[in-house]
Amino acid sequence: MPVVRVALDVPVDRAFDYRTDAATEADIGRLAVVPFGRGRKVGVVVGVAAQSELPDARLRDCLRIARDLPALPQDVLALAAFCADYYRATPGEVLAAALPTALRRPEALTPRPVRGWALVDSAAVPGPEGFPKQATTRRALIIALRAGPMHPDAVLAFGTTARRALADFEASGWVQRIDLPPTPASDASIDAPSGADPASDRTSGVGPALRPAQRAAVETIAATFGRFSPHLLQGVTGSGKTEVYLHLADRAMHGVDGAQTLLLVPEIHLTPQLETALAARFGVDAVVALHSGLADGERLARWQRAQRGAARVIVGTRLAVFTPLPHLALIVVDEEHDASYKQQEGVRYHARDLAVWRARARGVPIVLGSATPSIESWRHAQAGRYAHARLPERANGVAPPPIRLIDVRTRITRDGLSDALVDAIAARVASGEQSLVFVNRRGYAPAVVCHACGWTAPCPRCSARLTLHLRRGRLLCHWCGHDEPVTEACPSCGNLDLRPRGEGTQRVEQALAERLPQARITRVDRDAMRRRGAFAQVRAGVAAREIDVLVGTQMLAKGHDFPRLTLVGVVGADQGLFSVDFRAEERLYALVTQVAGRAGRADRAGEVLIQTAFPEHPLYAALVEQNFDAFAAGQWAARARYGFPPAVHQVLLRADGPDEREVHAALDAAARAARATGVDGVAVHDPVAAPLARVADRWRAQLLLQSTSRSALRRLLDAWTLPVDTRRVRVVLDVDPTEP
Ligand code: ADP
Ligand code: ZN
Ligand code: ZN
């Protein structure tokens, strides 16, 4: 009897055989529902065979192969297989992570009728002309409903108000809910009818005329359509990288009919804005956004539009790298240096690196865009492995704001703020301009210190200090969430002189409010932005000029254009200079550049002021000169000299558990096993405690393997028997780790 080989989301590195009536090669890539243990699982068919090597008695029946859904294409299966092999996971685990949640539940794959909408009696229902012109959604819905019943997945294409409109129609007795056949929505029922929305006509809108550097980049990259060619697009903030991406997507679309562009972006909260811009340019039909903030059904519907080739531009976060794209012609990774491209749990893949692999496998160009590229990509470009396109000027022609340092060794600061910075903000407030003060920490102060004995409030569950959150009167651990009331007296010596040390956003906000009572100040950090929609409200407030000063963390760094924002202050950046993480400087440089990029986006000149006690530090020197290449060259030289990535390749075995000794013993055994493989050219370091040795009562340690040869490292990984994951010690292999 034929069998299907099914990859399942389990940490077992082989596919599982299941008996089936008939199976063909065409089933490869299809989803299958199979019994597993006492339950059922959804897996992906990765092979078919005439018979299994397993004895018949051990074989179970495949319950269903989802032939009503399109199969995953060969290149996605290959990408998943590569990802599994490279990051030491199983193909089933990768595929499970790559599939929309709605496809991973066995129940969801069992056909059942779906509830749609249909007109009760079209004669009794007003036509589109019966609605005011502005009621575009209602008009479009009526047109579509007259053509036939509507699938629930189709509704979202009519915009966010469509559901309410349908409910109103139902209340008016115009439409009723009906059962639709259990087939997946077809193209016709999912995609909004052409012309239903004013923005949906297929002809591309036009953007601004490209500046010479943008044009040159577009031409260079477009010349490589149809083959694998990696490009680093290094453009200062505000240089119009997005415009380059849009032009390229447009070219791809018009060069080859139906060509698709995959645009990866780091942040969810950036996608709505970008999505709007893309929809305005290409029409709503042509664009889908994929991110983890979507409801399951919506995500599936969008994913399927990409899979069918109906969507031409697919914009998404990390996970979107696995989207099936039959007509893929171009991949763009925006802000390619961003840390969020690396998945930090489960399969620890790097979406940028997988995107490059996918571009190579598909024979299409890939653009990695950034103002501050990762040292990895910058080095590839320097070495000639990537083409290097540059946008050295801002698109609006205005010079970037000068960056100046405020030396806090020679000036008095109060609550972390120098007079020079406060005066500069006051001047902006007086002239009706806006300021942004970037603080690297949330809370009031990163530590509470006893001035008699030096005690600082520790987290009882972590090897970390507690952060003072004065508003709530609590001490909070930013690692495990532990919180406790602020103590009056030092628990160690009884002294009452406990003082906050260091500055968080709350302290800076409060100090500014005291010193600039006339200013309207708003804080933007995770604490202040907990409420849904809070961030959008802040943006609206800034746009309406109801806010003079924003105080916040890196939430403020990205992607917002505020034309009247002319001053950016940076407080507390120095703590990024002396970190145990060799990437801390690279991150700090990128972060400050991004924050600084918020100033003077429109025609007004801006200014950036950085408070520092280390004005001679090379990082600040490069920032002041706005010379990323000098900074990157220095980083690369140091890493090559001292043996850090990308000069070497690393694999980190991370372990954690409730017992410190057991955790270290597991890693000691792993280190011995690694050495015993006898593979040359790999340094197996001694296991050490993690930089944060304990989090939430679990001890953490790590074992670093390092080599200049990727293949040596991989040979060792192949030969290495890893310690098993037990309830006492959890072990995770992190290939190309990005966190210490
Ligand atoms: P980046 O992503 O490189 O920081 P953006 O793509 O956000 O820059 O572009 C910055 C601003 O410049 C945007 O408001 C964009 O609309 C505008 N812009 C881009 N290209 C041009 C151009 N050729 N002419 C005029 N404005 C442009
Ligand atoms: Zn004390
Ligand atoms: Zn803690």
Short mmCIF file of all heavy atoms in Angstrom, two decimals, residues 450-455 490-495 498, ligand 2:
data_model
loop_
_atom_site.label_atom_id
_atom_site.label_comp_id
_atom_site.label_asym_id
_atom_site.label_seq_id
_atom_site.Cartn_x
_atom_site.Cartn_y
_atom_site.Cartn_z
N CYS A 450 21.68 52.50 48.09
CA CYS A 450 21.83 53.01 49.45
C CYS A 450 23.14 53.79 49.52
O CYS A 450 24.20 53.25 49.20
CB CYS A 450 21.86 51.85 50.45
SG CYS A 450 22.37 52.39 52.10
N HIS A 451 23.03 55.04 49.92
CA HIS A 451 24.23 55.87 49.92
C HIS A 451 25.11 55.64 51.13
O HIS A 451 26.19 56.20 51.25
CB HIS A 451 23.86 57.34 49.74
CG HIS A 451 23.78 57.69 48.29
ND1 HIS A 451 24.58 58.63 47.70
CD2 HIS A 451 23.02 57.17 47.31
CE1 HIS A 451 24.30 58.68 46.42
NE2 HIS A 451 23.35 57.81 46.15
N ALA A 452 24.68 54.80 52.05
CA ALA A 452 25.53 54.47 53.20
C ALA A 452 26.35 53.20 52.94
O ALA A 452 27.56 53.18 53.14
CB ALA A 452 24.68 54.29 54.45
N CYS A 453 25.72 52.15 52.43
CA CYS A 453 26.45 50.89 52.30
C CYS A 453 26.60 50.40 50.86
O CYS A 453 27.26 49.40 50.61
CB CYS A 453 25.78 49.79 53.14
SG CYS A 453 24.25 49.14 52.42
N GLY A 454 25.97 51.10 49.91
CA GLY A 454 26.15 50.70 48.51
C GLY A 454 25.21 49.62 48.03
O GLY A 454 25.28 49.18 46.89
N TRP A 455 24.28 49.20 48.89
CA TRP A 455 23.29 48.19 48.50
C TRP A 455 22.45 48.70 47.33
O TRP A 455 22.11 49.86 47.26
CB TRP A 455 22.40 47.89 49.71
CG TRP A 455 21.21 47.01 49.43
CD1 TRP A 455 21.18 45.65 49.50
CD2 TRP A 455 19.89 47.44 49.08
NE1 TRP A 455 19.92 45.20 49.20
CE2 TRP A 455 19.11 46.28 48.93
CE3 TRP A 455 19.30 48.69 48.86
CZ2 TRP A 455 17.75 46.33 48.58
CZ3 TRP A 455 17.96 48.74 48.52
CH2 TRP A 455 17.19 47.57 48.36
N CYS A 490 17.06 50.96 53.85
CA CYS A 490 17.94 49.97 53.25
C CYS A 490 17.82 48.66 54.03
O CYS A 490 18.04 48.62 55.23
CB CYS A 490 19.38 50.46 53.29
SG CYS A 490 20.57 49.19 52.81
N PRO A 491 17.44 47.56 53.35
CA PRO A 491 17.31 46.29 54.05
C PRO A 491 18.64 45.77 54.58
O PRO A 491 18.69 44.89 55.44
CB PRO A 491 16.72 45.34 53.00
CG PRO A 491 16.89 46.00 51.70
CD PRO A 491 17.14 47.46 51.91
N SER A 492 19.73 46.33 54.07
CA SER A 492 21.03 45.84 54.48
C SER A 492 21.56 46.58 55.70
O SER A 492 22.09 45.98 56.63
CB SER A 492 21.99 45.97 53.30
OG SER A 492 23.31 45.86 53.71
N CYS A 493 21.40 47.93 55.75
CA CYS A 493 21.97 48.67 56.88
C CYS A 493 20.95 49.54 57.60
O CYS A 493 21.27 50.20 58.59
CB CYS A 493 23.16 49.51 56.42
SG CYS A 493 22.68 50.97 55.47
N GLY A 494 19.72 49.61 57.09
CA GLY A 494 18.71 50.38 57.78
C GLY A 494 18.71 51.86 57.48
O GLY A 494 17.83 52.61 57.90
N ASN A 495 19.69 52.30 56.73
CA ASN A 495 19.80 53.71 56.37
C ASN A 495 18.58 54.15 55.55
O ASN A 495 18.03 53.38 54.77
CB ASN A 495 21.11 53.86 55.57
CG ASN A 495 21.25 55.22 54.95
OD1 ASN A 495 20.79 56.20 55.51
ND2 ASN A 495 21.88 55.26 53.81
N LEU A 498 18.01 56.26 50.58
CA LEU A 498 18.01 55.48 49.34
C LEU A 498 17.76 56.44 48.19
O LEU A 498 16.85 57.25 48.24
CB LEU A 498 16.91 54.42 49.38
CG LEU A 498 17.07 53.33 50.42
CD1 LEU A 498 15.91 52.34 50.32
CD2 LEU A 498 18.38 52.60 50.25
ZN ZN B 2 22.50 50.42 53.15
#
